[in-house]
Each structure stands twice: as structure tokens, then as C-alpha cells.
Amino acid sequence: MSAEPSSGVAIVTGAVRGIGRAVCLELARAGYRVVANYRGDDELAQSLVSEIAQEGGHAVALRADVTVADDVAGLIEGTLSTFGRLDVLVNNAGITRDTLLMRMSETDWDAVLTTNLKGAFLCSKAAIRPMMRQRSGSIINLTSVVGLVGNAGQTNYAAAKAGLVGFTKSLAKEVGSRGITVNAVAPGFIETRLTDVLPDELKGTIQTQIPLGRMGRPEDVAGVVAFLASPAARYITGAVISVDGGLFMAT
Ligand code: NDP
């Protein structure tokens, strides 16, 4: 990895908690000026900005719902007017609405596909304009191992996350000639609000199946995102990197 701190600008969507928060902190430590996107919790957003400032970094919090095109346009405009450029987009915002397909409502299907897949489409589309002008940039999509191997009770989530893999590879082919890389990170089970809701018994069972013997921490994912954003990853595009403690090894 480059020893030089970056002077780049990074947007992280859904940034105020969990993996997004860890990614913001990691990118700020690497020297990026960070735009922490959030959709509602002003207090958490401000606490993240303060934490980054206390560590000597630079960040602003910008409110936007990634499913709303006008909000996303505002997010990109706000970034450019604040910092003048855009180097990294981390499509992290995501939700789950788990249940078996037989019981899944159309609302739950639409909510998960709209946030996890359309959100990444809207943000990437808006972000590649300034990146193309700069002829450089990096987009990193948070998919999931569930999008690679499937999971009962998560047909909506798995479809969205698998969709993100196809999206990542296709966009990588579209914009590679403009110096823009597009990659995906596929976490396994990471300790955040998303996995807090799992029954303890299930968490115990999962843990015994993970070769590294523990669930992941948000920082475990953030390090890989920061690597993909860094100059050290300049020749990587269209890749999907699993960060799952070895739980799902490719055959
Ligand atoms: P969290 O629930 O902790 O964080 C998700 C964040 O996304 C929240 O801050 C949430 O905002 C935000 N968000 C949701 N919808 C929107 C929206 N429409 N606009 C803007 N922000 C939004 O989850 P994680 O940190 O665990 O997950 C982060 C990403 O990693 C997700 O894409 C998830 O699918 C993926 N992932 C997580 C795994 C895990 O084990 N934790 C495993 C594999 C993938 P708010 O606070 O307002 O709800």
C-alpha cells in the first residue's frame, strides 16, 4: 500500500453505523476527505464527523436517501461543492427484510431490491460523471456471501446482492477505459445491527463453521474496502472479494 496519505474524496453511503462507519474511519485515517451519507440519524452522523475530526481527519455528513434520485443528485452535488472532486464511492447502504418466499410480501421484496440494488445504481450513475471527467475513480459495492451461495429466508436480499455482483462486473467493463475501477466486497457474518437480530443459537452454530473461529468485525471489512480504494489496487477491477473468515470458500 502507498505510504503517501491520500488527498482524495470518498463518499460512503449508509455511513453512520456498522460497516459504513468503520469504512469512514478507515478511509479518513488513510487521508481521504470523507462524505458520510446517512438517511435519518443526525446525532449519529454528527458523532461520526466529530470522531473523525478528533483523529485529525476531515469529514462532512450529508443526508440523502439512496433510493431517491433527487437525494442522490444532491449528495453528489454537495460533495463536489464541498470538496471539489470525487475519487471513491462506497455503496454500503443496505437493509434486510428476511422471511421465507412463501410469506414474503411484495413490499418487502421491493424495499430490499430498491435499497440494496437500485440505490447502488443511482449512486454509481451520478458518481461516474465527475470520475469520468477526472479519468480516475473507484467504486466499491458491498455485496454479501449470501449473494454468492444463497440463504433460506433471504431470497430478496440474495437476489439484490447477486444483482450487485453482475452490476459490478458490467460497470467495470464499461468504465475501465476511463481509469475507473469497480469492485465488490462480500462479507460473511459481521457483528452489526444486521446480525444482532440472529438467535444466539444460530450465531453459535455459524461460529463453529467459520475456519477463523469468530464472526467478523466491521473493521475487518473496512480494511479491504480501503485497500480496493488505494493505489495498491489500481490493477484490480470487476473483482468480488469475500471477507468471511473462510466460511464460504469457492469450489
Ligand atoms: P447496518 O444496518 O448496521 O447499516 C446499514 C446502514 O445503511 C445504516 O446506517 C442505514 O441507515 C443505511 N441505510 C439503509 N437504507 C438507506 C437508504 N435508503 N439511504 C441511506 N442509507 C440507508 O448494516 P451493516 O453495517 O451490517 O451493513 C452494511 C452493508 O454490508 C449492507 O449493504 C449489508 O447488506 C452488507 N453486509 C453486511 C453483513 C453483515 O453480516 N453485517 C454481511 C454481508 C453484507 P439507518 O441507520 O438510517 O437505518
Side-chain angles (χ1 to χ4, degrees):
M1 207 176 288
S2 165
E4 285 291 308
S6 170
S7 55
V9 175
I11 297 177
V12 182
T13 67
V16 296
R17 65 176 87 244
I19 293 169
R21 191 176 184 98
V23 168
C24 288
L25 288 163
E26 190 77 26
L27 290 176
R29 285 175 197 138
Y32 287 92
R33 288 164 288 164
V34 172
V35 176
N37 156 253
Y38 69 108
R39 66 170 168 178
D41 197 327
D42 296 312
E43 216 168 292
L44 262 187
Q46 282 318 314
S47 82
L48 173 59
V49 169
S50 304
E51 192 175 340
I52 289 173
Q54 273 160 19
E55 291 189 5
H58 298 282
V60 294
L62 291 185
R63 183 203 278 260
D65 181 333
V66 298
T67 69
V68 178
D70 284 349
D71 278 21
V72 171
L75 174 64
I76 304 300
E77 280 159 23
T79 301
L80 295 175
S81 64
T82 308
F83 292 129
R85 56 184 294 123
L86 174 57
D87 300 281
V88 177
L89 168 68
V90 183
N91 284 312
N92 169 77
I95 60 166
T96 52
R97 295 279 187 277
D98 298 350
T99 191
L100 296 175
L101 182 76
M102 280 177 69
R103 295 197 204 112
M104 189 174 290
S105 68
E106 205 176 330
T107 311
D108 284 347
W109 175 269
D110 287 345
V112 169
L113 269 289
T114 304
T115 303
N116 297 11
L117 190 53
K118 186 180 171 190
F121 155 71
L122 289 174
C123 292
S124 302
K125 187 175 176 194
I128 57 172
R129 285 179 194 279
M131 288 180 177
M132 278 186 166
R133 278 198 298 271
Q134 290 164 201
R135 299 193 74 80
S136 69
S138 171
I139 297 176
I140 298 149
N141 298 317
L142 267 290
T143 177
S144 166
V145 289
V146 165
L148 307 177
V149 301
N151 196 23
Q154 291 196 306
T155 49
N156 50 0
Y157 185 75
K161 293 302 191 183
L164 266 181
V165 171
F167 176 81
T168 298
K169 293 180 179 181
S170 302
L171 186 58
K173 290 184 177 181
E174 285 186 18
V175 297
S177 63
R178 308 299 185 96
I180 302 169
T181 61
V182 189
N183 291 292
V185 175
F189 288 89
I190 311 297
E191 289 166 348
T192 70
R193 183 179 61 170
L194 274 194
T195 50
D196 274 354
V197 293
L198 298 175
D200 285 343
E201 203 186 319
L202 178 59
K203 282 193 213 166
T205 310
I206 291 166
Q207 207 145 312
T208 61
Q209 294 166 356
I210 299 174
L212 291 182
R214 63 169 176 86
M215 286 184 56
R217 291 184 278 268
E219 300 74 40
D220 297 325
V221 181
V224 177
V225 173
F227 163 69
L228 286 172
S230 77
R234 71 178 73 81
Y235 200 57
I236 300 176
T237 198
V240 182
I241 301 185
S242 292
V243 185
D244 64 358
L247 181 58
F248 299 107
M249 294 188 196
T251 50

